[in-house]
Each structure stands twice: as C-alpha cells, then as structure tokens.
Amino acid sequence: MTSYKVLICDFDGTLADTRPSVAICVRRTLEELCGASTALGDGEVEAVLARGATLRGTFEQFIGQLVSGQSVTVDACVARYRQHYAAEGLRWTTLFPGVRASLAYARSVGVKLAIVSNKGEAALQAALKHFDLSGYFELVVGEQPDLPPKPAPDLFEQRILPFFASANRAEMLFVGDTSADLLFARNCGIDACWVTYGHGKPDACRALKPRYEIETFQALEGCFPARSQRKTSPPSIITDWPVM
C-alpha cells in the first residue's frame, strides 16, 4: 500500500456532516424567494448533493418562478443562502467520528494536509475555525471566482500542485464522498479514496473505480507512514481497487 505525503480532503460529506445545514438553508432560501409551495423534501435535496454540485449548480436545479410570476435569479438564491448559512449553518453541522484524531495523526507522521472544496471560501474558513481545524491544513482552497470547480482539474493544477511542488502526483491522495470528487482526482492524475458515509451514491462512485474505499475516516491511517507506537488500520479495512 502506498504511503502518501500529501492528503487532499473534500469538506462537506467527508470531514463534516453538513446535510442538515445545507438542506435547511436551501429550503429556506427557496421558500422565501420562490414561495412556500416550492418547499423541498429531504430526498430531493439529497439527490443534488449526491452529485457534488456547486451552490450555483444546486440552485440551477431547483430555481423556478415566484408565485407572482417574477423570475428568481441564481445569484439572488446564492446570496440569500449564504446569509442563512453564515447565520445558522454551523448550528446543524458536526464532524464525522475520528476526523480530528486522524488529521492529527497524519500531521504527526509528516503528511501534509490540504482542503479542496466547492464550498464558498468564507463558509469553509468559518467552519474550520468553528471546529478548530484551521491549524491542521497547510492550504485551504474553496470556491474560486477565476477557476472552474471540481471535477475540473484547474484548482489542482493552479493551486495545489504549485504549493506542494516537492511532492509528485503519485505521492498525493484525494479523499472525498461524491462522484465529482472522484472524477476530480482522476482528472488530476492522482489516487482517490471514496468515503462511503457521505453524500455520494454507491453505484456512481464505484463506477469511477477509486483506489480505496473506506467506511470510517480513521481507516485512512493505513495510507500514512507508520509510527512505531501506534498501530494503523490493517489493509483489509481499506478496499484496494485494481488500478485501471
């Protein structure tokens, strides 16, 4: 099993369970701007989250017409959503079990950590500060106005790769929960690890043949250099897919 030098993490659905916060803020936004009749069920929101859509992409899926017949713009929905999320989003957000301990372990054995997310940069930084995780990551990349989001490789090529210039692609691992995350890793030419507990649909994610599949974040420790006083997860916990 490869011991990686750089671990690149997604945030929503990988490090933190943001399902309730995203769903509540999306529904409130659409109810306010499009009328109560547009209220969404959990399944409808979850279906969009499973694709790893950007915030704009999410509202492009749902936006319609106001009850009065006036058009609602995606920009208006994004702005209102961000107001709701900034005010209350972290109230319904929790870290997944083992995340903090495994990030600390990775740092202790010399693994460099980064985040690449389609989440707005301000919301991402606020979440990291809220959970006291900012110090674990050498680089944090959220939504960039000048670059396309995942799964396009531009964030990797123009932000990640230059920052970690001493590491090659074979020494980097991306961990995420959706098909967009896994396709991002493929487009970047780096190994991918799919976390089964996030938003992604199993059939869509497994079709992309990630290098690893894990049921808990802590199982990632089997991909890091070993530390003599701590036993890492045995390889059997991580499904090692054949490289295609």
Side-chain angles (χ1 to χ4, degrees), residues 14-163:
T14 300
L15 300 182
D17 184 1
T18 58
R19 280 186 183 94
S21 57
V22 171
I24 289 169
C25 292
V26 165
R27 282 198 293 263
R28 285 185 177 177
T29 297
L30 292 176
E31 288 168 8
E32 289 175 6
L33 297 184
C34 302
S37 62
T38 62
L40 301 168
D42 291 340
E44 293 171 283
V45 175
E46 183 65 25
V48 175
L49 296 180
R51 294 193 289 272
T54 63
L55 187 56
R56 291 188 65 84
T58 296
F59 283 112
E60 285 170 358
Q61 294 283 325
F62 295 131
I63 197 169
Q65 298 291 318
L66 285 169
V67 174
S68 63
Q70 293 180 301
S71 296
V72 179
T73 67
V74 173
D75 287 342
C77 288
V78 169
R80 183 63 61 86
Y81 170 92
R82 285 179 170 161
Q83 290 174 351
H84 285 305
Y85 198 90
E88 297 188 278
L90 291 174
R91 176 178 165 191
W92 300 291
T93 299
T94 57
L95 289 183
F96 286 112
V99 164
R100 188 185 307 279
S102 291
L103 293 176
Y105 176 68
R107 292 268 297 181
S108 75
V109 295
V111 176
K112 298 180 184 298
L113 303 176
I115 288 182
V116 175
S117 172
N118 286 341
K119 198 177 191 71
E121 186 105 3
L124 181 58
Q125 294 286 3
L128 293 176
K129 182 178 180 180
H130 175 80
F131 290 111
D132 196 23
L133 292 180
S134 300
Y136 290 104
F137 297 96
E138 297 191 31
L139 182 64
V140 175
V141 181
E143 181 184 42
Q144 303 289 299
D146 59 330
L147 295 173
K150 297 179 295 185
D154 303 62
L155 292 170
F156 178 81
E157 299 290 348
Q158 298 190 40
R159 298 288 192 271
I160 298 293
L161 205 56
F163 189 89

Side-chain angles (χ1 to χ4, degrees), residues 218-235:
Q218 189 174 11
L220 265 179
E221 294 179 16
C223 292
F224 305 151
R227 195 170 68 191
S228 58
Q229 63 265 40
R230 174 169 174 154
K231 291 183 178 180
T232 57
S233 302

Side-chain angles (χ1 to χ4, degrees), residues 1 12 29 41 55 64 67 124 131 137 147 164 169 180 187 197-199 240:
M1 182 177 295
D12 290 47
T29 297
L55 187 56
V67 174
L124 181 58
F131 290 111
F137 297 96
L147 295 173
F164 296 109
R169 293 173 198 254
N187 291 340
Y197 53 77
H199 300 303
D240 199 349

